[in-house]
Amino acid sequence: MTLSFEGITLSYGTVPVLHDLSFEFSDAEIVAVVGPNGSGKSSLVKCLNQLVKPQKGSVHLDGECINELHPREIAKKFGYVPQNFMDTFPATVMDTILMGRKPYSNWRSAKEDIVKVAEVMRMLNLEPFALRYHSELSGGQRQKVMIARAFAQESKVLLFDEPTSQLDIKHQLEIMDLVRDTVRMKKILAILVVHDLNLASRYADRIIMMRDGRIQAVGDPKDVLTEENIKAVYDVQSLVMHDGGIPCVVPKQRIEN
Amino acid sequence: MTEGSISCGIHNESIYDIYHKYTRKKILFIAGLILLIIVLIGVAASIGSANLPLYDVYAALISRFFSFGPESTWTADVVLWKLRFPRIFMAIFAGMALGITGVVMQSVLKNPLADPYMMGIQSAAGFGASLAIIFGTGFLSGGYLIAGNAFLFSLIAVGIIILLSDMKDASAETMILTGIAVMFFFSAMTTFIQYFAEAEAVKSAMFWAVGDLGKTSWDDFYIVIPLLVCCFLFLLWKTWDMNILAAGDETAKSLGIPVRRVRITIMIVSSLLVSGVVCFIGAIGFVGLVSPHICRLIIGGDNQYLLPASGLVGAVLLIVSDTVARTIMSPAIIPVGVITAFIGVPFFIYLIMFRKGEFW
């Protein structure tokens, strides 16, 4: 499976967000997209499954151009875990995860959809919560439900928009372990927008570092997470240490310009 | 919460069985409502200035639809078929239409306060009716002058809301804000033309605007029933989309729903449904707002079951309100729109103050 994007250019109104970006992902890897607020990381990821339509550029999955496809077809190929989930009305965990089966059926869920959802719930230990309301769960559990829904989509690519931003360190690691295990087991591609550089460094196979809508650096975490890159992108003086080959970033002070 | 007790038995049963049991509970609730409505038809039809025994009511119903069955008395037949059944059946269908539209608008607009009233449909219908009553002109003539005008203007209101919000982003927020603007516009227009009209005409226009089931004639059902059936089936088919739309536009898009098109289609169909009813009986508030909330408290938020359940609860509310309206100050008949507000407001406040858990 190959995913690539080419010449992605995006602006919201007159504000340019992404400048002519191209990249090629490889099989079964975890790619973290990092960068300061407003650098365009979330927008880039949303361009991949056309949640945001770029003005220019194309996305290709296995040689097929994604831009022209019906949303339903895109949803079969890309699972998406949003940053926040809206609970206007109560929905049970089961019903929430079942939404992931929507691209495959039209009117209502069939028995096989429920079987698939049950399988995902067992995998993520969500069974005891099946009929609880999603809004009643803790932050970590809620995030797991969102991931379960994306798993139920059975897509080849999983997109995450800051999946761990509202979780404590234990749950951050739990969610990231889950992502890593799934990627390895199912040979899928996971692309994550992450703020926490240390989490990116520990789990990602490759890191895309962005600055002002451009890709500043790409590659192995230890090549990307350097004191120079962090200074250039974040305007922050930092100390990068190494824990068994994994870079650990300690921010020290910001640079006034 | 009963869900908690079900989830305890998780180790012995498969998720499928548990889910099946959970949905069966909802279906039972819906079946219970249908039974309740059948009982209410009998009770409502037997109460009135001339009290009839329950037996006569059902006898009259059965003998009309089947060749067999008991013979009903002539007086009972006249009282029932001329006076009581039309308004009782209209209460059922109008209540359904309002309850269904309430669910649809609340989930598609992601707002627990959304209902046909807030979207300006009823005030536009009121304006159309006022035009017909005060100036005697309209797009249709004869018996359908007022209803036709009311229907047309409620469609104009929907058209304005859809067009304006589509020009921007077709988001729920834009639709709600334009809906409220349209509502105030048509209310002001109604007041404006009433200001210059004869006192008698103003009075009857005012009376039209307060929903009243006494206006119902049997011919109305030729329009109301097919409209209700078609719109209900379409909306039922779209309930899964509605569930997902309520989870946010971005989520819905990522799950393969063309959000903009689906939201607009559903809004048009549900507005059509409610306009088709309002144009015959006038504006009835609170049913569309309260019925979905009552049902959500009992069977949860899945629209597939919520939609029919809320329609049936709407029917129940309207039959009860209309029976109260007919009998409480008999021989005077109070418009049902007044009673739904009298019953609905305290009930709604009760729900807000004493509801358990986070429901909306």
Side-chain angles (χ1 to χ4, degrees):
Chain A
M1 187 221 23
T2 56
L3 175 70
S4 62
F5 56 86
E6 212 185 299
I8 297 273
T9 304
L10 173 76
S11 51
Y12 294 133
T14 54
V15 186
V17 182
L18 301 174
H19 304 275
D20 193 22
L21 302 181
S22 303
F23 190 73
E24 198 163 308
F25 298 92
S26 40
D27 232 351
E29 64 172 345
I30 300 178
V31 178
V33 185
V34 303
N37 293 332
S39 60
K41 352 181 249 311
S42 290
S43 298
L44 175 62
V45 167
K46 285 176 192 170
C47 279
L48 295 180
N49 68 340
Q50 303 291 309
L51 285 185
V52 174
K53 296 250 181 220
Q55 276 81 22
K56 260 190 252 166
S58 59
V59 181
H60 286 267
L61 181 67
D62 288 331
E64 189 178 16
C65 184
I66 294 300
N67 305 44
E68 309 301 322
L69 290 180
H70 188 276
R72 193 188 308 116
E73 296 308 312
I74 297 178
K76 287 179 190 170
K77 299 173 195 297
F78 292 85
Y80 177 73
V81 179
Q83 195 174 350
N84 333 297
F85 180 75
M86 250 180 45
D87 285 311
T88 317
F89 298 112
T92 60
V93 168
M94 182 95 192
D95 285 328
T96 306
I97 301 174
L98 258 176
M99 290 178 185
R101 302 300 303 165
K102 175 67 185 157
Y104 298 94
S105 41
N106 210 339
W107 178 46
R108 47 178 295 178
S109 50
K111 183 170 181 176
E112 63 190 67
D113 294 321
I114 293 169
V115 171
K116 286 241 164 68
V117 167
E119 208 174 284
V120 173
M121 287 206 293
R122 190 162 47 241
M123 198 174 101
L124 303 194
N125 292 323
L126 285 169
E127 279 171 314
F129 307 102
L131 296 182
R132 290 269 297 277
Y133 285 113
H134 184 233
S135 51
E136 297 172 347
L137 304 183
S138 68
Q141 303 291 5
R142 284 165 66 110
Q143 195 58 306
K144 259 178 149 180
V145 172
M146 293 292 94
I147 292 175
R149 188 178 68 197
F151 284 176
Q153 267 175 273
E154 295 193 312
S155 51
K156 297 173 190 169
V157 185
L158 284 176
L159 309 174
F160 297 84
D161 193 358
E162 297 186 32
T164 57
S165 59
Q166 283 156 26
L167 303 180
D168 62 52
I169 45 174
K170 183 187 165 193
H171 283 104
Q172 287 182 4
L173 294 175
E174 187 188 351
I175 295 292
M176 293 307 293
D177 283 339
L178 195 65
V179 172
R180 184 169 59 190
D181 294 347
T182 317
V183 166
R184 301 286 182 257
M185 197 171 70
K186 300 206 165 167
K187 301 264 177 285
I188 54 177
L189 170 65
I191 302 165
L192 301 95
V193 173
V194 193
H195 259 306
D196 187 334
L197 296 177
N198 291 313
L199 220 50
S201 138
R202 195 161 290 276
Y203 285 94
D205 299 307
R206 284 201 286 173
I207 291 181
I208 298 177
M209 190 179 249
M210 292 188 62
R211 178 197 179 191
D212 296 334
R214 290 189 173 84
I215 295 176
Q216 171 84 13
V218 178
D220 195 89
K222 61 178 179 295
D223 301 326
V224 173
L225 295 176
T226 61
E227 286 167 10
E228 298 76 58
N229 276 340
I230 290 167
K231 187 177 162 193
V233 166
Y234 290 96
D235 290 329
V236 165
Q237 204 95 55
S238 65
L239 175 69
V240 175
M241 299 182 297
H242 289 269
D243 170 25
I246 298 166
C248 301
V249 180
V250 182
K252 280 172 26 185
Q253 67 176 111
R254 70 205 159 82
I255 301 162
E256 306 282 352
N257 26 339
Chain B
M1 204 79 292
T2 45
E3 281 78 17
S5 60
I6 292 172
S7 64
C8 294
I10 215 99
H11 302 295
N12 311 321
E13 294 170 280
S14 75
I15 290 280
Y16 185 79
D17 292 333
I18 293 163
Y19 192 68
H20 189 66
K21 231 182 239 173
Y22 175 63
T23 53
R24 200 165 52 207
K25 224 175 62 181
K26 300 179 184 186
I27 293 168
L28 271 179
F29 177 69
I30 292 170
L33 283 172
I34 294 173
L35 275 181
L36 178 62
I37 287 174
I38 294 171
V39 172
L40 281 175
I41 292 173
V43 175
S46 67
I47 314 177
S49 47
N51 278 320
L52 299 168
L54 264 180
Y55 172 83
D56 280 11
V57 173
Y58 290 112
L61 268 178
I62 291 167
S63 64
R64 177 64 63 108
F65 290 113
F66 304 101
S67 50
F68 62 89
E71 196 87 0
S72 65
T73 60
W74 185 81
T75 34
D77 230 35
V78 169
V79 170
L80 289 172
W81 288 101
K82 282 241 156 30
L83 300 172
R84 291 188 193 161
F85 282 152
R87 61 190 304 154
I88 289 170
F89 286 117
M90 188 52 105
I92 293 172
F93 294 123
M96 282 181 175
L98 291 169
I100 289 169
T101 319
V103 168
V104 170
M105 292 193 170
Q106 285 174 13
S107 38
V108 167
L109 299 177
K110 295 178 286 185
N111 192 316
L113 288 178
D115 79 335
Y117 209 96
M118 194 180 83
M119 294 306 288
I121 294 170
Q122 309 206 17
S123 68
F127 174 71
S130 295
L131 268 186
I133 293 166
I134 291 167
F135 298 112
T137 54
F139 297 86
L140 294 172
S141 56
Y144 286 110
L145 173 70
I146 297 173
N149 237 19
F151 187 66
L152 191 95
F153 273 90
S154 47
L155 291 194
I156 290 175
V158 177
I160 293 172
I161 293 167
I162 302 280
L163 266 177
L164 287 180
S165 54
D166 191 45
M167 269 163 59
K168 197 159 178 276
D169 50 5
S171 72
E173 292 76 15
T174 319
M175 278 194 190
I176 290 171
L177 290 175
T178 38
I180 290 175
V182 165
M183 178 186 85
F184 279 113
F185 173 75
F186 279 110
S187 301
M189 290 292 283
T190 308
T191 313
F192 180 74
I193 60 167
Q194 286 180 349
Y195 188 74
F196 295 104
E198 300 284 326
E200 264 314 299
V202 172
K203 195 176 162 196
S204 55
M206 297 273 273
F207 275 134
W208 189 93
V210 185
D212 181 8
L213 295 165
K215 302 190 256 267
T216 310
S217 80
W218 285 111
D219 289 342
D220 301 348
F221 291 101
Y222 289 115
I223 295 167
V224 170
I225 293 175
L227 191 68
L228 180 67
V229 171
C230 294
C231 294
F232 171 70
L233 289 178
F234 175 81
L235 294 169
L236 191 65
W237 176 53
K238 287 287 172 197
T239 44
W240 204 2
D241 292 48
M242 290 177 209
N243 286 350
I244 297 176
L245 275 180
D249 285 13
E250 197 173 77
T251 299
K253 251 190 238 172
S254 77
L255 291 169
I257 293 178
V259 172
R260 201 186 180 100
R261 207 184 66 213
V262 169
R263 174 172 292 130
I264 287 176
T265 325
I266 293 177
M267 282 303 288
I268 291 174
V269 172
S270 59
S271 308
L272 203 64
L273 171 60
V274 83
S275 307
V277 169
V278 166
C279 71
F280 290 117
I281 58 171
I284 293 178
F286 263 100
V287 175
L289 180 65
V290 177
S291 311
H293 288 298
I294 296 172
C295 295
R296 246 180 236 117
L297 285 171
I298 300 169
I299 62 167
D302 184 357
N303 284 313
Q304 198 187 323
Y305 302 96
L306 195 58
L307 190 86
S310 171
L312 294 170
V313 166
V316 170
L317 285 179
L318 216 49
I319 302 177
V320 172
S321 301
D322 187 53
T323 310
V324 172
R326 279 193 298 124
T327 51
I328 193 167
M329 288 175 70
S330 175
I333 296 176
I334 305 164
V336 69
V338 178
I339 301 293
T340 54
F342 278 152
I343 297 177
V345 172
F347 184 71
F348 199 55
I349 290 173
Y350 167 80
L351 284 183
I352 296 166
M353 302 306 287
F354 298 101
R355 74 199 157 109
K356 292 185 187 118
E358 291 275 323
F359 277 101
W360 63 83

PDB file of all heavy atoms in Angstrom, chain B residues 153-176:
ATOM      1  N   PHE B 153     -46.440  29.876   2.348  1.00  0.00           N
ATOM      2  CA  PHE B 153     -45.532  30.773   3.064  1.00  0.00           C
ATOM      3  C   PHE B 153     -44.576  30.022   3.982  1.00  0.00           C
ATOM      4  O   PHE B 153     -43.441  30.458   4.180  1.00  0.00           O
ATOM      5  CB  PHE B 153     -46.313  31.853   3.824  1.00  0.00           C
ATOM      6  CG  PHE B 153     -46.602  33.044   2.959  1.00  0.00           C
ATOM      7  CD1 PHE B 153     -47.771  33.105   2.211  1.00  0.00           C
ATOM      8  CD2 PHE B 153     -45.676  34.073   2.851  1.00  0.00           C
ATOM      9  CE1 PHE B 153     -48.024  34.177   1.382  1.00  0.00           C
ATOM     10  CE2 PHE B 153     -45.927  35.153   2.021  1.00  0.00           C
ATOM     11  CZ  PHE B 153     -47.101  35.198   1.282  1.00  0.00           C
ATOM     12  N   SER B 154     -45.019  28.882   4.505  1.00  0.00           N
ATOM     13  CA  SER B 154     -44.053  28.137   5.314  1.00  0.00           C
ATOM     14  C   SER B 154     -42.956  27.564   4.415  1.00  0.00           C
ATOM     15  O   SER B 154     -41.799  27.496   4.816  1.00  0.00           O
ATOM     16  CB  SER B 154     -44.728  27.052   6.143  1.00  0.00           C
ATOM     17  OG  SER B 154     -45.615  26.320   5.368  1.00  0.00           O
ATOM     18  N   LEU B 155     -43.306  27.217   3.174  1.00  0.00           N
ATOM     19  CA  LEU B 155     -42.267  26.762   2.244  1.00  0.00           C
ATOM     20  C   LEU B 155     -41.326  27.910   1.873  1.00  0.00           C
ATOM     21  O   LEU B 155     -40.111  27.707   1.738  1.00  0.00           O
ATOM     22  CB  LEU B 155     -42.887  26.173   0.975  1.00  0.00           C
ATOM     23  CG  LEU B 155     -43.617  24.841   1.143  1.00  0.00           C
ATOM     24  CD1 LEU B 155     -43.887  24.214  -0.216  1.00  0.00           C
ATOM     25  CD2 LEU B 155     -42.831  23.876   2.010  1.00  0.00           C
ATOM     26  N   ILE B 156     -41.899  29.104   1.735  1.00  0.00           N
ATOM     27  CA  ILE B 156     -41.044  30.259   1.447  1.00  0.00           C
ATOM     28  C   ILE B 156     -40.045  30.468   2.593  1.00  0.00           C
ATOM     29  O   ILE B 156     -38.853  30.694   2.359  1.00  0.00           O
ATOM     30  CB  ILE B 156     -41.907  31.530   1.240  1.00  0.00           C
ATOM     31  CG1 ILE B 156     -42.680  31.412  -0.083  1.00  0.00           C
ATOM     32  CG2 ILE B 156     -41.040  32.793   1.254  1.00  0.00           C
ATOM     33  CD1 ILE B 156     -43.653  32.538  -0.343  1.00  0.00           C
ATOM     34  N   ALA B 157     -40.546  30.342   3.834  1.00  0.00           N
ATOM     35  CA  ALA B 157     -39.651  30.501   4.989  1.00  0.00           C
ATOM     36  C   ALA B 157     -38.507  29.490   4.928  1.00  0.00           C
ATOM     37  O   ALA B 157     -37.336  29.843   5.084  1.00  0.00           O
ATOM     38  CB  ALA B 157     -40.438  30.332   6.286  1.00  0.00           C
ATOM     39  N   VAL B 158     -38.853  28.228   4.669  1.00  0.00           N
ATOM     40  CA  VAL B 158     -37.821  27.183   4.589  1.00  0.00           C
ATOM     41  C   VAL B 158     -36.847  27.491   3.460  1.00  0.00           C
ATOM     42  O   VAL B 158     -35.622  27.372   3.620  1.00  0.00           O
ATOM     43  CB  VAL B 158     -38.468  25.804   4.353  1.00  0.00           C
ATOM     44  CG1 VAL B 158     -37.401  24.745   4.197  1.00  0.00           C
ATOM     45  CG2 VAL B 158     -39.391  25.457   5.487  1.00  0.00           C
ATOM     46  N   GLY B 159     -37.404  27.919   2.327  1.00  0.00           N
ATOM     47  CA  GLY B 159     -36.558  28.259   1.184  1.00  0.00           C
ATOM     48  C   GLY B 159     -35.549  29.344   1.538  1.00  0.00           C
ATOM     49  O   GLY B 159     -34.362  29.221   1.204  1.00  0.00           O
ATOM     50  N   ILE B 160     -36.024  30.373   2.240  1.00  0.00           N
ATOM     51  CA  ILE B 160     -35.116  31.462   2.628  1.00  0.00           C
ATOM     52  C   ILE B 160     -34.011  30.923   3.546  1.00  0.00           C
ATOM     53  O   ILE B 160     -32.824  31.204   3.350  1.00  0.00           O
ATOM     54  CB  ILE B 160     -35.899  32.588   3.348  1.00  0.00           C
ATOM     55  CG1 ILE B 160     -36.866  33.268   2.371  1.00  0.00           C
ATOM     56  CG2 ILE B 160     -34.937  33.613   3.934  1.00  0.00           C
ATOM     57  CD1 ILE B 160     -37.804  34.257   3.034  1.00  0.00           C
ATOM     58  N   ILE B 161     -34.413  30.099   4.523  1.00  0.00           N
ATOM     59  CA  ILE B 161     -33.425  29.574   5.478  1.00  0.00           C
ATOM     60  C   ILE B 161     -32.365  28.744   4.741  1.00  0.00           C
ATOM     61  O   ILE B 161     -31.165  28.920   4.929  1.00  0.00           O
ATOM     62  CB  ILE B 161     -34.124  28.701   6.547  1.00  0.00           C
ATOM     63  CG1 ILE B 161     -35.028  29.569   7.420  1.00  0.00           C
ATOM     64  CG2 ILE B 161     -33.094  27.985   7.411  1.00  0.00           C
ATOM     65  CD1 ILE B 161     -35.979  28.773   8.275  1.00  0.00           C
ATOM     66  N   ILE B 162     -32.836  27.848   3.869  1.00  0.00           N
ATOM     67  CA  ILE B 162     -31.904  26.955   3.172  1.00  0.00           C
ATOM     68  C   ILE B 162     -30.995  27.761   2.238  1.00  0.00           C
ATOM     69  O   ILE B 162     -29.772  27.571   2.229  1.00  0.00           O
ATOM     70  CB  ILE B 162     -32.674  25.897   2.347  1.00  0.00           C
ATOM     71  CG1 ILE B 162     -33.593  25.074   3.247  1.00  0.00           C
ATOM     72  CG2 ILE B 162     -31.726  25.016   1.545  1.00  0.00           C
ATOM     73  CD1 ILE B 162     -32.952  23.988   4.021  1.00  0.00           C
ATOM     74  N   LEU B 163     -31.588  28.683   1.479  1.00  0.00           N
ATOM     75  CA  LEU B 163     -30.794  29.466   0.524  1.00  0.00           C
ATOM     76  C   LEU B 163     -29.720  30.280   1.224  1.00  0.00           C
ATOM     77  O   LEU B 163     -28.550  30.242   0.854  1.00  0.00           O
ATOM     78  CB  LEU B 163     -31.710  30.411  -0.258  1.00  0.00           C
ATOM     79  CG  LEU B 163     -32.226  29.890  -1.584  1.00  0.00           C
ATOM     80  CD1 LEU B 163     -33.175  30.894  -2.209  1.00  0.00           C
ATOM     81  CD2 LEU B 163     -31.052  29.612  -2.517  1.00  0.00           C
ATOM     82  N   LEU B 164     -30.139  31.016   2.269  1.00  0.00           N
ATOM     83  CA  LEU B 164     -29.176  31.871   2.963  1.00  0.00           C
ATOM     84  C   LEU B 164     -28.068  31.048   3.611  1.00  0.00           C
ATOM     85  O   LEU B 164     -26.890  31.374   3.503  1.00  0.00           O
ATOM     86  CB  LEU B 164     -29.883  32.729   4.021  1.00  0.00           C
ATOM     87  CG  LEU B 164     -30.731  33.881   3.486  1.00  0.00           C
ATOM     88  CD1 LEU B 164     -31.368  34.637   4.642  1.00  0.00           C
ATOM     89  CD2 LEU B 164     -29.886  34.828   2.652  1.00  0.00           C
ATOM     90  N   SER B 165     -28.457  29.953   4.285  1.00  0.00           N
ATOM     91  CA  SER B 165     -27.419  29.202   4.988  1.00  0.00           C
ATOM     92  C   SER B 165     -26.530  28.459   3.989  1.00  0.00           C
ATOM     93  O   SER B 165     -25.346  28.263   4.241  1.00  0.00           O
ATOM     94  CB  SER B 165     -28.022  28.238   6.006  1.00  0.00           C
ATOM     95  OG  SER B 165     -28.958  27.415   5.393  1.00  0.00           O
ATOM     96  N   ASP B 166     -27.099  28.090   2.838  1.00  0.00           N
ATOM     97  CA  ASP B 166     -26.278  27.417   1.830  1.00  0.00           C
ATOM     98  C   ASP B 166     -25.279  28.390   1.200  1.00  0.00           C
ATOM     99  O   ASP B 166     -24.177  28.006   0.828  1.00  0.00           O
ATOM    100  CB  ASP B 166     -27.164  26.789   0.748  1.00  0.00           C
ATOM    101  CG  ASP B 166     -26.372  25.874  -0.156  1.00  0.00           C
ATOM    102  OD1 ASP B 166     -25.578  25.072   0.383  1.00  0.00           O
ATOM    103  OD2 ASP B 166     -26.522  25.952  -1.386  1.00  0.00           O
ATOM    104  N   MET B 167     -25.687  29.674   1.103  1.00  0.00           N
ATOM    105  CA  MET B 167     -24.754  30.666   0.571  1.00  0.00           C
ATOM    106  C   MET B 167     -23.550  30.802   1.483  1.00  0.00           C
ATOM    107  O   MET B 167     -22.444  31.062   1.032  1.00  0.00           O
ATOM    108  CB  MET B 167     -25.440  32.023   0.452  1.00  0.00           C
ATOM    109  CG  MET B 167     -26.102  32.252  -0.894  1.00  0.00           C
ATOM    110  SD  MET B 167     -27.291  33.591  -0.838  1.00  0.00           S
ATOM    111  CE  MET B 167     -26.308  34.958  -0.323  1.00  0.00           C
ATOM    112  N   LYS B 168     -23.761  30.614   2.779  1.00  0.00           N
ATOM    113  CA  LYS B 168     -22.620  30.689   3.683  1.00  0.00           C
ATOM    114  C   LYS B 168     -21.985  29.294   3.788  1.00  0.00           C
ATOM    115  O   LYS B 168     -21.304  28.867   2.892  1.00  0.00           O
ATOM    116  CB  LYS B 168     -23.051  31.228   5.052  1.00  0.00           C
ATOM    117  CG  LYS B 168     -21.886  31.699   5.860  1.00  0.00           C
ATOM    118  CD  LYS B 168     -22.276  32.680   6.964  1.00  0.00           C
ATOM    119  CE  LYS B 168     -21.048  33.072   7.770  1.00  0.00           C
ATOM    120  NZ  LYS B 168     -20.736  32.107   8.822  1.00  0.00           N
ATOM    121  N   ASP B 169     -22.272  28.548   4.845  1.00  0.00           N
ATOM    122  CA  ASP B 169     -21.574  27.275   5.001  1.00  0.00           C
ATOM    123  C   ASP B 169     -22.511  26.097   5.249  1.00  0.00           C
ATOM    124  O   ASP B 169     -22.054  24.994   5.467  1.00  0.00           O
ATOM    125  CB  ASP B 169     -20.577  27.377   6.155  1.00  0.00           C
ATOM    126  CG  ASP B 169     -21.232  27.951   7.401  1.00  0.00           C
ATOM    127  OD1 ASP B 169     -22.454  28.160   7.374  1.00  0.00           O
ATOM    128  OD2 ASP B 169     -20.520  28.201   8.382  1.00  0.00           O
ATOM    129  N   ALA B 170     -23.835  26.359   5.208  1.00  0.00           N
ATOM    130  CA  ALA B 170     -24.827  25.316   5.480  1.00  0.00           C
ATOM    131  C   ALA B 170     -24.590  24.645   6.822  1.00  0.00           C
ATOM    132  O   ALA B 170     -24.912  23.485   7.019  1.00  0.00           O
ATOM    133  CB  ALA B 170     -24.879  24.279   4.363  1.00  0.00           C
ATOM    134  N   SER B 171     -24.018  25.386   7.781  1.00  0.00           N
ATOM    135  CA  SER B 171     -23.773  24.795   9.093  1.00  0.00           C
ATOM    136  C   SER B 171     -25.042  24.890   9.937  1.00  0.00           C
ATOM    137  O   SER B 171     -25.954  25.654   9.635  1.00  0.00           O
ATOM    138  CB  SER B 171     -22.625  25.513   9.794  1.00  0.00           C
ATOM    139  OG  SER B 171     -23.047  26.791  10.198  1.00  0.00           O
ATOM    140  N   ALA B 172     -25.066  24.098  11.000  1.00  0.00           N
ATOM    141  CA  ALA B 172     -26.219  24.101  11.885  1.00  0.00           C
ATOM    142  C   ALA B 172     -26.442  25.487  12.482  1.00  0.00           C
ATOM    143  O   ALA B 172     -27.569  25.971  12.557  1.00  0.00           O
ATOM    144  CB  ALA B 172     -26.006  23.071  12.990  1.00  0.00           C
ATOM    145  N   GLU B 173     -25.345  26.130  12.863  1.00  0.00           N
ATOM    146  CA  GLU B 173     -25.445  27.438  13.515  1.00  0.00           C
ATOM    147  C   GLU B 173     -26.088  28.458  12.568  1.00  0.00           C
ATOM    148  O   GLU B 173     -26.965  29.214  12.963  1.00  0.00           O
ATOM    149  CB  GLU B 173     -24.056  27.932  13.934  1.00  0.00           C
ATOM    150  CG  GLU B 173     -23.405  27.128  15.050  1.00  0.00           C
ATOM    151  CD  GLU B 173     -22.848  25.788  14.581  1.00  0.00           C
ATOM    152  OE1 GLU B 173     -22.713  25.589  13.346  1.00  0.00           O
ATOM    153  OE2 GLU B 173     -22.565  24.934  15.435  1.00  0.00           O
ATOM    154  N   THR B 174     -25.642  28.462  11.314  1.00  0.00           N
ATOM    155  CA  THR B 174     -26.200  29.415  10.360  1.00  0.00           C
ATOM    156  C   THR B 174     -27.687  29.160  10.165  1.00  0.00           C
ATOM    157  O   THR B 174     -28.482  30.094  10.096  1.00  0.00           O
ATOM    158  CB  THR B 174     -25.487  29.283   8.998  1.00  0.00           C
ATOM    159  OG1 THR B 174     -24.110  29.111   9.230  1.00  0.00           O
ATOM    160  CG2 THR B 174     -25.711  30.500   8.142  1.00  0.00           C
ATOM    161  N   MET B 175     -28.073  27.887  10.070  1.00  0.00           N
ATOM    162  CA  MET B 175     -29.485  27.567   9.861  1.00  0.00           C
ATOM    163  C   MET B 175     -30.330  28.037  11.034  1.00  0.00           C
ATOM    164  O   MET B 175     -31.416  28.592  10.854  1.00  0.00           O
ATOM    165  CB  MET B 175     -29.663  26.063   9.673  1.00  0.00           C
ATOM    166  CG  MET B 175     -29.365  25.610   8.270  1.00  0.00           C
ATOM    167  SD  MET B 175     -29.978  23.950   7.999  1.00  0.00           S
ATOM    168  CE  MET B 175     -29.223  23.610   6.410  1.00  0.00           C
ATOM    169  N   ILE B 176     -29.837  27.829  12.237  1.00  0.00           N
ATOM    170  CA  ILE B 176     -30.607  28.225  13.418  1.00  0.00           C
ATOM    171  C   ILE B 176     -30.772  29.745  13.450  1.00  0.00           C
ATOM    172  O   ILE B 176     -31.875  30.260  13.654  1.00  0.00           O
ATOM    173  CB  ILE B 176     -29.913  27.729  14.702  1.00  0.00           C
ATOM    174  CG1 ILE B 176     -30.018  26.208  14.779  1.00  0.00           C
ATOM    175  CG2 ILE B 176     -30.535  28.357  15.932  1.00  0.00           C
ATOM    176  CD1 ILE B 176     -29.196  25.596  15.874  1.00  0.00           C
TER     177      ILE B 176
END
